[in-house]
Amino acid sequence: MAYKRQIDRLPIIPADAKKHNVVCHYCIVGCGYHAYSWPANRQGGTAPGSNAFGVDLSEQQPAETEAWYAPSMYNLVKQDGRDHHLVIKPDKACSVNAGLGSVRGARMAEMSFSEARSTQQQRLTDPQVWRYGQLQPTSWEDALDLVARVTAAVVEEQGEDGLIVSAFDHGGAGGGYENTWGTGKLYFGAMKVKNIRIHNRPAYNSEVHATRDMGVGELNNAYEDAELADTIVAVGTNALETQTNYFLNHWVPNLRGSSLSKKQEMMPDEPHEAARIVVVDPRRTVTVNACEIEAGKDRVLHLPIRSGSDLALFNAIFAYIADQGWVDRDFIEASTSRDAPPRPPLYPERGVSDAKPGHLTSFEAAVEGCRLSLDEAAAITGLDPADIVKAAEWIAQPKAGGKRRRTMFSYEKGLIWGNDNYRTNGALVNLALATGNVGRLGGGVVRMGGHQEGYVRPADGHVGRPSAYVDQLLISGQGGVHHVWACDHYKTTLNAHAFKAAYKKRTDMVKDAMSSVPWGDRELMVETIMAAIRQGGLFAVDVDIVPTKIGEACHVVLPAATSGEMNLTSMNGERRMRLTERYMDPPGQAMPDCLIAARLANHLERVLREAGRASYADQFTGFDWQSEEDAFMDGYHANAGGGEHVTYERLRVMGTNGFQEPAVGFENGRIVGTERLYTDGNFSTADGKARFMDAPWRGLQAPGKTEQQAAYRFLINNGRANQVWQSAYLDVENDFVMERWPYPFIEMHPEDMAELGVGQGDLVEVYNEAGATQAMAYPTPTARRGETFMLFAYPTGVQGNVVNAGTNELVIPNYKQTWGDIRKIADAPRNVRTISFKSKEYSVD
Amino acid sequence: MARCSKLVDIGRRQFLRGGAAAAAGAAASVAAPGPGRAATPGARVDYPSTRLANLSELAPNEPLYVAYPDDQAPGVLLKLGQRVEGGVGPDGDVVGFTTSCPHKGFPLSYSAASRTFNCPGHYSVFDPERGGQQVWGQATQNLPQYVLRVDGQGDIYAEGLDELLYGRLSNVL
Ligand code: SF4
Ligand code: FES
């Protein structure tokens, strides 16, 4: 039976409730919300004067009303130690979401820590240490002293390379400018740690090095551009599910034609129609379906390419539009480099070094270097050549009167975690530059994003490029201490099977050693841990808001506060920066990550001084922050471009609309931002000229992929589901989500299922040479035979187990191109038999 | 990661006893500000028992549009043709649901082919054969379902709901 809350009324927000600015802390879109809170013993009433909306709540409210909230938007939380009602509801005045809440964001309140209503009781409340054979609570002093002593000892023996770090680099929950600065100042300021990786990839690198190398920052347009474009190109992004309200509030109006008057007003000198859209995705997603509903099938071109062949498609389009002359000559002359240096000697197979897997050059040289005929591209991609031509026409053919077509290019994990990331990214940016679609209304070539962004750190040049493949260091026994910040590699890394086996072995060695000595003898404890490390053991410290899978292997677990339990700043996919204000207390002793980093720095300084290492200890000064605002002022305000214009006080005034980074001034009480980048035609290179990339196709690039494809029957494509945020770290405690997806789904064609003897909901094993995992079969008639799609990073079946270790030269993982075999494990268990296996596609037939 | 699911249930009961009872108090005082001593309010709203239709009016897989708990709350009765949980009638196949989408209140339409409710607002899909489970969508609730009773004459009564309806902070206004 479907999960029902049996709630038939909710407390009413009183007229005098507190109201805080909130930005959804889940996805990149960063929807605006407000948190209303008021003491537990009070409530509003239905009369207009006694509720926050000023309307008569004894009447039914209409669709899209502001005067309603779902049970998931309500909770009872602590504020300054006292119980308060909390309602977190979407803000209609926010330009990002205009009052829309998604199935993820609209559960923020319900996903908060509440003792009164027993929600998120999994949250970490106290520091924990491995004591007497299990994790036990302790004080911050005790835990940080141990971490500092072991870290200092490892660094003394192995140098800073012995300290391995996994840390978020993004915004929103488990990140944000305060916290990236806190961790950044510790590891890149006080220390120069180079064995560091990010939450979703095994190295410290950019997911989009190529576009940056070409001088085009990846978040260069405004969400409004999706309302203004003639054509939207969506590559490997299932925006309805993963950037939901960006799609609903900015793409749909253009697909429907309801932004036409805005187009005419803003761009009066050219003809306008409703948008067309080209979707490049091997799978028919719900996004494709929604586009067809809104725009009509004849204005949606879904290109279901063979997995991993995007580069061939883009290169063929590039050559075709160049040959047709559908390019922006003036822009190319004025804003792109006309130099065409010689190709590196081993090109196209390899770049001049692993740091540069592509070749930056002029427009003409790039066209010739990339050139693929329509037939060649059709053979590689499996597409009809006529559809490739159609895509080229929709992208670049001039409009009536010879007016330049405005095309917005968007891409996300299908490209980023796809074959030959660097060149594919470059090839897509080639199309945008050739058609003059950067820095112009209705244009942009942008990643869609996963989390919000929130990066400000001291220089990271010492990390190097390519940076260290950190998972391989850990697997091969290197390093002595591992600091993990809001990462759960057991769920979110590639080659996860091998990683977990090695990690468990190494951390178990230290656990066993720790269990052999009394807790209170700190010197003996540190010496015993160090002895185990010398034998190949690893001491692991986990900082997180919830218990994680990797945390089960750790020796110290430190409780962090999340968004809303601290003030937190981030920016969204159009660089829109806002402050989420603190509206509730963190659970127990939990602290903001930036303050945990600061206190760890304080302890390291003390321990180093006690050990007589005064000059090294001096490097750990400057961490006397008492609040997250101190970290913000020390970090963003003093270091980010335009940061000098930005303070908490000013951000509070800017509300949920904030401003778009970079800030360029402060006028009339408001921060002045930047709607679009590169409007002046000056790009982010030394000479201000953008570069094209000579980026020829070279097949499946990452090691082991070609062999894997040949050896196994099924493509194990993978990605996200609408209902689930990230690795389900909070959703795992949400009945609404876990009832829908007790196990990760694997979408399969019904005939493939029949051939394997698999029924709907049956648990299947997905396996290959890299490992094995489990999923729940979801019959999907729109899936192609032999092509499956599995929910990624789910706790009850980790897709990363079957992703091999192969990456590109810059250590970008290639999750998407995974092949494996499938066999039945068991009939659908009870919790699966009650769920729906109907099509996820909206239909009215 | 193991958690005690009992705690969650206790939490829910506490919510029903605590927060909702307090809300009921306020509603009562607004509705009946008279001088007398107010009756102790119940922990839940009092649902009317409303006759919606007779079994004889239902044809298999054809929605019959109704309203419950008042005429501001559109809904539907469906005879699904196969026994489902929450189904009533001799075949255990009669169910009732609201037709206001719990996401933003758009009116749902019924697809007889897939036996789903579909929302033109933001494409949510609900499955009446699975208690109104949201197959896919943006609502944070499954579809509110009627508690139904059929009497000896085949009259179908709605007597409650299992989730909050869109657009009202109390299911009974
Ligand atoms: S679309 Fe993203 S940011 Fe907006 S409410 Fe949903 S999860 Fe939050
Ligand atoms: S109103 Fe139904 S999906 Fe939004």
Side-chain angles (χ1 to χ4, degrees):
Chain A
M1 210 44 198
Y3 165 67
K4 299 293 173 68
R5 294 181 184 79
Q6 296 292 350
I7 285 176
D8 49 20
R9 72 182 123 185
L10 287 173
I12 292 171
I13 306 173
D16 62 353
K18 271 185 242 163
K19 187 175 175 184
H20 289 108
N21 296 318
V22 173
V23 177
C24 176
H25 52 77
Y26 300 128
C27 89
I28 177 79
V29 180
C31 295
Y33 281 72
H34 282 123
Y36 297 84
S37 55
W38 68 99
N41 63 342
R42 297 194 50 241
Q43 63 183 329
T46 53
S50 56
N51 63 64
F53 311 113
V55 305
D56 181 357
L57 292 176
S58 70
E59 286 177 4
Q60 170 73 34
Q61 304 300 311
E64 301 189 283
T65 180
E66 285 190 86
W68 186 74
Y69 34 98
S72 64
M73 301 180 200
Y74 171 80
N75 215 334
L76 260 174
V77 301
K78 293 267 194 246
Q79 202 175 73
D80 300 324
R82 306 177 71 121
D83 280 325
H84 278 67
H85 299 278
L86 173 73
V87 170
I88 307 180
K89 59 186 287 296
D91 177 12
K92 212 159 194 167
C94 178
S95 69
V96 173
N97 55 315
L100 285 171
S102 76
V103 64
R104 301 175 299 285
R107 287 184 289 115
M108 262 187 288
E110 185 174 75
M111 305 274 266
S112 300
F113 178 76
S114 169
E115 281 164 329
R117 295 182 74 227
S118 296
T119 54
Q120 293 299 326
Q121 290 301 290
Q122 61 165 342
R123 286 289 303 274
L124 300 172
T125 56
D126 298 276
Q128 291 175 292
V129 292
W130 188 259
R131 200 171 65 209
Y132 318 130
Q134 58 184 308
L135 282 173
Q136 310 258 18
T138 192
S139 65
W140 277 108
E141 292 300 306
D142 185 44
L144 288 173
D145 178 75
L146 181 66
V147 175
R149 283 179 193 281
V150 175
T151 302
V154 168
V155 169
E156 173 136 42
E157 282 192 21
Q158 303 188 12
E160 288 177 350
D161 289 355
L163 167 58
I164 294 181
V165 177
S166 296
F168 53 78
D169 71 335
H170 53 73
Y177 289 112
E178 293 77 1
N179 297 327
T180 60
W181 178 254
T183 47
K185 188 171 181 180
L186 176 59
Y187 298 117
F188 294 170
M191 295 186 255
K192 289 277 175 280
V193 167
K194 74 174 206 293
N195 292 332
I196 177 169
R197 59 160 282 176
I198 299 170
H199 69 288
N200 60 3
R201 52 196 190 270
Y204 204 82
N205 46 17
S206 168
E207 291 167 66
V208 289
H209 276 303
T211 190
R212 292 182 184 179
D213 290 351
M214 294 164 81
V216 183
E218 65 272 20
L219 299 176
N220 46 66
N221 75 357
Y223 280 178
E224 184 180 54
D225 287 310
E227 299 170 41
L228 304 178
D230 294 302
T231 302
I232 297 174
V233 177
V235 179
T237 166
N238 176 15
L240 175 56
E241 295 203 75
T242 55
Q243 295 91 8
T244 305
N245 290 333
Y246 176 26
F247 179 84
L248 291 173
N249 197 36
H250 301 278
W251 291 30
V252 166
N254 198 2
L255 295 168
R256 257 183 206 167
S258 52
S259 61
L260 260 181
S261 56
K262 187 175 195 173
K263 287 175 155 182
Q264 271 142 7
E265 206 170 287
M266 293 179 72
M267 304 167 292
D269 301 323
E270 60 191 81
H272 293 291
E273 295 174 18
R276 289 189 168 91
I277 185 163
V278 180
V279 182
V280 181
D281 197 316
R283 179 175 67 124
R284 179 178 166 88
T285 59
V286 290
T287 301
V288 174
N289 183 56
C291 290
E292 288 178 355
I293 286 162
E294 299 301 347
K297 284 192 176 167
D298 57 331
R299 301 181 77 83
V300 179
L301 178 61
H302 175 211
L303 298 177
I305 56 167
R306 243 176 232 138
S307 177
S309 66
D310 313 56
L311 176 56
L313 171 67
F314 303 155
N315 283 352
I317 294 174
F318 190 34
Y320 188 85
I321 65 175
D323 293 349
Q324 299 297 317
W326 295 341
V327 296
D328 188 336
R329 271 280 151 207
D330 294 344
F331 176 86
I332 292 168
E333 292 295 340
S335 293
T336 71
S337 171
R338 309 302 293 136
D339 284 348
R343 276 182 156 186
L346 295 178
Y347 220 67
E349 207 33 60
R350 302 205 73 79
V352 66
S353 71
D354 277 351
K356 295 190 160 83
H359 175 54
L360 302 178
T361 189
S362 69
F363 167 68
E364 291 79 4
V367 170
E368 290 320 311
C370 293
R371 182 175 288 283
L372 270 187
S373 72
L374 294 172
D375 288 339
E376 286 168 321
I380 295 168
T381 59
L383 298 172
D384 181 341
D387 280 340
I388 302 177
V389 171
K390 194 170 176 186
E393 288 170 353
W394 287 16
I395 287 169
Q397 190 175 43
K399 301 195 276 187
K403 297 289 182 182
R404 191 180 64 86
R405 191 168 292 277
R406 297 176 188 270
T407 299
M408 179 187 122
F409 300 84
S410 61
Y411 59 96
E412 193 42 41
K413 291 296 194 294
L415 185 157
I416 289 170
W417 297 153
N419 175 40
D420 215 348
N421 159 299
Y422 189 84
R423 292 190 189 177
T424 308
N425 185 197
L428 188 64
V429 177
N430 280 346
L431 296 181
L433 289 173
T435 55
N437 273 306
V438 191
R440 306 259 180 84
L441 294 183
V445 54
V446 293
R447 69 170 293 186
M448 293 290 282
H451 291 79
Q452 283 195 73
E453 301 294 337
Y455 189 93
V456 57
R457 277 182 175 153
D460 60 6
H462 65 277
V463 170
R465 174 174 160 170
S467 47
Y469 191 159
V470 167
D471 285 17
Q472 296 297 345
L473 299 181
L474 287 166
I475 290 171
S476 64
Q478 296 181 57
V481 57
H482 186 200
H483 293 182
V484 184
W485 296 79
C487 300
D488 196 355
H489 308 322
Y490 276 31
K491 287 188 284 182
T492 60
T493 201
L494 68 170
N495 194 23
H497 219 99
F499 179 84
K500 285 181 271 200
Y503 199 83
K504 179 167 190 304
K505 196 164 162 214
R506 295 189 65 193
T507 51
D508 276 352
M509 289 170 70
V510 172
K511 281 183 175 173
D512 293 344
M514 289 176 77
S515 298
S516 71
V517 290
W519 182 257
D521 191 338
R522 183 59 38 110
E523 256 172 57
L524 179 61
M525 178 61 74
V526 172
E527 195 31 60
T528 306
I529 291 169
M530 288 306 296
I533 289 171
R534 286 179 209 115
Q535 301 294 314
L538 182 75
F539 182 79
V541 182
D542 183 37
V543 187
D544 211 310
I545 63 169
V546 290
T548 59
K549 299 280 185 196
I550 199 172
E552 290 170 16
C554 292
H555 310 96
V556 177
V557 176
L558 303 174
T562 190
S563 182
E565 299 162 359
M566 63 176 292
N567 296 287
L568 190 71
T569 53
S570 302
M571 75 170 191
N572 78 349
E574 53 173 351
R575 294 162 286 100
R576 191 175 292 279
M577 180 180 186
R578 278 79 49 92
L579 169 69
T580 292
E581 298 178 274
R582 173 175 162 148
Y583 52 78
M584 63 179 281
D585 300 347
Q589 305 187 55
M591 287 199 296
D593 295 87
C594 55
L595 296 185
I596 297 175
R599 297 298 86 84
L600 177 54
N602 300 152
H603 277 269
L604 277 162
E605 183 192 351
R606 175 183 57 80
V607 163
L608 289 165
R609 264 188 226 298
E610 283 169 13
R613 299 165 69 191
S615 65
Y616 193 40
D618 287 345
Q619 292 177 210
F620 293 84
T621 55
F623 288 94
D624 46 3
W625 313 324
Q626 294 309 309
S627 70
E628 58 271 28
E629 188 168 7
D630 294 343
F632 180 83
M633 295 307 285
D634 191 50
Y636 189 93
H637 182 76
N639 292 278
E644 70 272 21
H645 305 297
V646 186
T647 64
Y648 272 14
E649 196 190 332
R650 291 177 181 182
L651 283 170
R652 269 186 214 110
V653 174
M654 301 298 287
T656 59
N657 282 315
F659 73 96
Q660 286 171 273
E661 294 189 54
V664 293
F666 182 70
E667 286 166 19
N668 306 319
R670 304 194 62 82
I671 301 167
V672 182
T674 310
E675 274 181 67
R676 292 172 182 80
L677 304 184
Y678 312 123
T679 48
D680 61 359
N682 256 314
F683 287 86
S684 306
T685 51
D687 60 9
K689 308 284 188 197
R691 301 292 193 275
F692 283 88
M693 189 186 290
D694 172 1
W697 168 253
R698 51 175 170 168
L700 290 178
Q701 175 272 332
K705 296 294 181 185
T706 305
E707 297 78 0
Q708 198 181 60
Q709 182 181 30
Y712 300 101
R713 175 169 170 192
F714 291 100
L715 172 72
I716 314 296
N717 192 2
N718 54 88
R720 302 295 181 179
N722 193 46
Q723 296 91 340
V724 181
W725 170 242
Q726 222 244 358
S727 61
Y729 59 87
L730 291 178
D731 293 317
V732 75
E733 292 254 310
N734 190 264
D735 293 320
F736 176 73
V737 174
M738 293 312 287
E739 191 213 39
R740 180 74 188 109
W741 303 126
Y743 303 95
F745 59 76
I746 184 163
E747 297 176 357
M748 297 178 71
H749 192 279
E751 287 171 30
D752 284 337
M753 287 174 60
E755 280 180 19
L756 298 175
V758 169
Q760 74 177 24
D762 287 355
L763 296 184
V764 295
E765 183 171 49
V766 181
Y767 61 102
N768 60 17
E769 85 294 347
T773 187
Q774 66 172 13
M776 168 183 93
Y778 203 102
T780 305
T782 55
R784 286 195 288 211
R785 295 294 305 270
E787 297 197 357
T788 70
F789 181 88
M790 179 173 168
L791 179 58
F792 182 72
Y794 212 53
T796 50
V798 174
Q799 195 275 339
N801 284 1
V802 293
V803 178
N804 79 358
T807 68
N808 82 346
E809 292 96 328
L810 292 161
V811 203
I812 297 293
N814 187 186
Y815 294 105
K816 301 288 184 182
Q817 278 71 49
T818 294
W819 286 268
D821 281 341
I822 297 175
R823 60 190 163 211
K824 180 168 167 171
I825 299 175
D827 288 339
R830 185 202 59 83
N831 56 349
V832 168
R833 262 180 263 145
T834 54
I835 71 176
S836 183
F837 285 93
K838 291 184 178 170
S839 167
K840 300 169 191 171
E841 289 191 6
Y842 166 90
S843 93
V844 284
D845 305 331
Chain B
M1 288 285 249
R3 72 175 174 169
C4 174
S5 57
K6 278 226 172 65
L7 268 182
V8 177
D9 288 328
I10 290 166
R12 283 197 200 110
R13 283 203 295 278
Q14 275 173 349
F15 169 70
L16 295 173
R17 274 208 309 271
S29 67
V30 170
R37 203 186 125 150
T40 306
R44 300 196 65 172
V45 301
D46 290 320
Y47 283 101
S49 176
T50 307
R51 182 188 173 282
L52 298 179
N54 189 276
L55 284 175
S56 61
E57 295 167 62
L58 293 178
N61 206 21
E62 271 182 33
L64 179 76
Y65 292 98
V66 297
Y68 182 80
D70 52 62
D71 59 6
Q72 295 288 298
V76 72
L77 287 179
L78 261 180
K79 181 174 170 60
L80 290 164
Q82 63 178 38
R83 188 169 292 272
V84 293
E85 280 195 71
V88 297
D91 305 321
D93 66 342
V94 174
V95 291
F97 289 94
T98 177
T99 51
S100 288
C101 179
H103 178 228
K104 283 286 187 184
F106 283 55
L108 302 173
S109 69
Y110 184 66
S111 161
S114 60
R115 295 172 182 244
T116 54
F117 289 103
N118 291 264
C119 183
H122 315 94
Y123 326 114
S124 295
V125 180
F126 302 91
D127 186 350
E129 297 182 303
R130 290 287 185 271
Q133 185 173 62
Q134 182 170 250
V135 179
W136 186 93
Q138 301 309 331
T140 52
Q141 290 163 261
N142 294 313
L143 195 62
Q145 182 167 8
Y146 298 166
V147 179
L148 297 178
R149 174 175 65 86
V150 179
D151 73 7
Q153 278 74 54
D155 284 337
I156 307 166
Y157 292 84
E159 306 194 316
L161 285 156
D162 57 10
E163 270 282 7
L164 191 66
L165 292 175
Y166 183 86
R168 44 179 78 191
L169 293 172
S170 170
N171 271 345
V172 176
L173 293 172

